[in-house]
Amino acid sequence: MASTTAAAACEAKMKAAGVSLACITSFLSQHAAVSSGATGNIAEASIRPAADLEYLQKIEVAEKPELLQSTVVLKLNGGLGTGMGLDKAKSLLEVKNGDNFLDFIAKQILYFREQYKSNLKFMLMNSFSTNVDTKEYLSKYDTFRENFEEDVELLQNKVPKIRQDTFEPASCAVSEENEWVPPGHGDLYAALYGSGKLDRLIDAGYKYMFVSNSDNLGATMDLRILSHMQEKSLDFIMEVCERTESDKKGGHLAQDIATGKLLLRESAQCPKEDEGDFQNISKHRYFNTNNLWINLPSLKAAMEANNGMLSLPVIRNSKTVNPTDSSSTKVFQLETAMGTAITSFANASAIVVPRTRFAPVKTCNDLLSLRSDAYVITEDYRLVLAESRQGNPPVVALDDKHYKFVAGFNTLVEKGVPSLIACNRLKVTGSVQFDANVVLEGDVNITNTSTDTRSIASGTYTGDV
Ligand code: UPG
């Protein structure tokens, strides 16, 4: 299968580690692309903004609860949250009132099951970095404890990091684990197919899968979208939101000028010179929420028609083999993004959904907003913007020097989380700590130029502090 000695070495390493054939096939095709110089970039000149999308509120469809018995809800849980300084699954991070993401997700599913008297199937995609902690934590919920590996978990693959100079698999003397990486959430398809779980789901009568990020607690089962998918016989739906200023990292929807097909451009796929266009939220107005709906038999058919894989554009991340040693071997980590599969299906569509379905936590800025009163918990355990915010999240910019990582953030809010319900923008520069009962309103700019940590005493603040 491999076309070069470097590719053959990767293939041998993966086989020896028991990686599935589906994953090896996908990886080798990405390896070939990267070895021949592909960057996976999508130039602005090759796309046009996506237009004429349907809005969920305007779609006329009758809800069909009977579809629930053939539907699976799957949460992506393979990421570690290293960007926030975490070395565990990000979903173990406390969100609100002592509950972490996994608690919210579990309660959402249990609520829905009760509400619809259904046994809605639930799965989690874990990586080799998140499976142990996640299993242990979720075991407090009886219903997810039994047959965890068989029924709940989809364990994603691992792929070798490759040397930038030779494209050979990289080795790391410090720890063999550093030589491997989960291949991004686009691995969902290879993990489902290669583990045999796709076949088993289809054989058991499952037809639809709703997938979303575990850090987005607005993404719950929606009977209108599900029923619309069935009524229009769609293979794939991407939920998108109208972009706001906070939507910088991630991907936007666009249309390929050459084929007219919808495509997803991830920030990692944008050439440097086109970054201004990427960030232009009035030009590229629709942001991928990563809430996706997949018709399982169509997925299987698309993979079988293409050598057992989906040809997703490869994303090439430049890193060092030992993440904590910048002088170690320079490597590429190859990844794919789940949403780029929108181009792989004949009958794919994107729907604009209300902002309530998208409340991601990518940074401590997001976490501060979520923990504050700008977000409320609904009866069905979603975290949504408080109504008075009219769909606009506060724009929070905490000083990266102190609050990029959760440890610093915890000190900031140790005594209390400020009220942000009436705050439009918050900028914090320097080291500060909020006392209990701090209320921030309008545009607030907190600056501490001294090196000592300063307290923000209880009270209401606006403007420069
Ligand atoms: N994840 C995995 N396995 C991996 C990598 C990530 O399960 O190998 C999970 C991760 O735990 C998280 C989700 O996938 O739950 C998203 O991962 P993340 O790295 O946070 O994705 P983003 O870079 O934020 O981007 C995704 C989409 C992007 C979209 C954005 C919305 O790729 O198009 O705009 O989510 O938040």
Side-chain angles (χ1 to χ4, degrees), residues 76-80 90 125-127 156 182-185 187 212-215 249-252 264-267 287-290 335 337-339 358 360 362:
L76 299 173
N77 190 47
L80 279 186
K90 187 156 100 186
M125 183 167 89
N126 279 326
S127 66
Q156 74 172 115
H185 41 71
D187 182 37
S212 60
N213 297 350
S214 57
D215 64 15
K249 193 191 160 218
H252 72 78
L264 170 68
R265 178 164 72 168
E266 293 284 310
S267 52
F287 198 70
N288 170 29
T289 61
N290 233 23
E335 278 186 19
M338 179 178 75
F358 187 48
K362 300 298 177 197

Side-chain angles (χ1 to χ4, degrees), residues 200-273:
R200 290 208 282 286
L201 287 170
I202 293 173
D203 290 348
Y206 290 100
K207 260 187 108 167
Y208 309 100
M209 180 174 269
F210 170 49
V211 191
S212 60
N213 297 350
S214 57
D215 64 15
N216 175 15
L217 296 176
T220 48
M221 169 50 58
D222 186 289
L223 267 177
R224 295 188 70 235
I225 305 180
L226 176 64
S227 309
H228 173 73
M229 181 168 201
Q230 186 259 355
E231 205 171 289
K232 301 282 176 204
S233 303
L234 294 168
D235 299 325
F236 185 96
I237 300 177
M238 175 185 286
E239 293 182 37
V240 297
C241 268
E242 284 185 353
R243 261 172 112 178
T244 69
E245 267 187 70
S246 321
D247 305 320
K248 297 247 182 271
K249 193 191 160 218
H252 72 78
L253 189 70
Q255 206 178 6
D256 189 325
I257 292 178
T259 63
K261 281 190 154 193
L262 289 173
L263 63 77
L264 170 68
R265 178 164 72 168
E266 293 284 310
S267 52
Q269 292 175 295
C270 180
K272 268 241 151 346
E273 60 276 16

Side-chain angles (χ1 to χ4, degrees), residues 396-456:
V396 176
L398 301 174
D399 194 338
D400 254 7
K401 209 168 127 208
H402 302 278
Y403 310 114
K404 186 169 164 50
F405 296 144
V406 170
F409 173 83
N410 285 342
T411 313
L412 177 74
V413 296
E414 198 178 304
K415 295 187 181 151
V417 175
S419 160
L420 296 182
I421 183 111
C423 177
N424 297 330
R425 270 167 204 281
L426 167 66
K427 186 166 183 213
V428 176
T429 314
S431 178
V432 297
Q433 186 177 59
F434 294 112
D435 278 351
N437 306 318
V438 170
V439 178
L440 305 177
E441 291 181 352
D443 289 1
V444 185
N445 221 331
I446 300 174
T447 314
N448 172 20
T449 49
S450 81
T451 48
D452 301 335
T453 301
R454 303 288 291 271
S455 289
I456 308 293

Side-chain angles (χ1 to χ4, degrees), residues 24-71:
I24 296 178
T25 313
S26 300
F27 179 82
L28 289 180
S29 117
Q30 294 158 19
H31 188 278
V34 168
S35 314
S36 60
T39 57
N41 280 353
I42 300 174
E44 186 66 22
S46 68
I47 57 174
R48 67 168 82 94
D52 303 328
L53 299 182
E54 280 190 296
Y55 280 67
L56 178 58
Q57 294 100 312
K58 295 196 185 139
I59 292 177
E60 279 182 31
V61 62
E63 292 186 1
K64 297 181 185 161
E66 65 275 17
L67 296 176
L68 292 172
Q69 64 192 21
S70 46
T71 305

Side-chain angles (χ1 to χ4, degrees), residues 355 385-393 421:
R355 190 79 198 187
L385 271 174
E387 210 162 327
S388 64
R389 302 223 41 115
Q390 299 187 323
N392 297 310
I421 183 111

Side-chain angles (χ1 to χ4, degrees), residues 97-282:
N97 301 349
D99 278 347
N100 65 24
F101 290 94
L102 290 176
D103 289 310
F104 273 96
I105 292 166
K107 289 178 184 183
Q108 289 175 348
I109 294 287
L110 295 175
Y111 180 92
F112 199 90
R113 284 183 181 171
E114 180 57 35
Q115 182 86 344
Y116 285 91
K117 304 282 174 257
S118 88
N119 197 20
L120 181 66
K121 186 167 173 68
F122 170 67
M123 293 177 78
L124 266 178
M125 183 167 89
N126 279 326
S127 66
F128 62 90
S129 319
T130 60
N131 61 337
V132 176
D133 291 344
T134 300
K135 181 180 174 188
E136 189 184 312
Y137 192 83
L138 265 188
S139 66
K140 70 185 204 186
Y141 297 93
D142 290 347
T143 150
F144 303 129
R145 190 172 45 232
E146 283 151 35
N147 289 335
F148 182 82
E149 281 86 357
E150 187 49 35
D151 283 347
V152 177
E153 183 174 66
L154 174 68
L155 190 59
Q156 74 172 115
N157 296 293
K158 56 179 191 176
V159 297
K161 298 178 183 174
I162 55 173
R163 295 180 63 104
Q164 293 191 6
D165 51 359
T166 62
F167 303 109
E168 303 263 342
S171 45
C172 181
V174 182
S175 153
E176 208 221 315
E177 205 157 279
N178 282 339
E179 298 173 6
W180 297 91
V181 69
H185 41 71
D187 182 37
L188 170 72
Y189 310 111
L192 276 171
Y193 188 85
S195 63
K197 290 198 174 180
L198 180 58
D199 272 339
R200 290 208 282 286
L201 287 170
I202 293 173
D203 290 348
Y206 290 100
K207 260 187 108 167
Y208 309 100
M209 180 174 269
F210 170 49
V211 191
S212 60
N213 297 350
S214 57
D215 64 15
N216 175 15
L217 296 176
T220 48
M221 169 50 58
D222 186 289
L223 267 177
R224 295 188 70 235
I225 305 180
L226 176 64
S227 309
H228 173 73
M229 181 168 201
Q230 186 259 355
E231 205 171 289
K232 301 282 176 204
S233 303
L234 294 168
D235 299 325
F236 185 96
I237 300 177
M238 175 185 286
E239 293 182 37
V240 297
C241 268
E242 284 185 353
R243 261 172 112 178
T244 69
E245 267 187 70
S246 321
D247 305 320
K248 297 247 182 271
K249 193 191 160 218
H252 72 78
L253 189 70
Q255 206 178 6
D256 189 325
I257 292 178
T259 63
K261 281 190 154 193
L262 289 173
L263 63 77
L264 170 68
R265 178 164 72 168
E266 293 284 310
S267 52
Q269 292 175 295
C270 180
K272 268 241 151 346
E273 60 276 16
D274 292 336
E275 267 168 20
D277 290 298
F278 188 99
Q279 295 303 354
N280 183 342
I281 64 171
S282 40

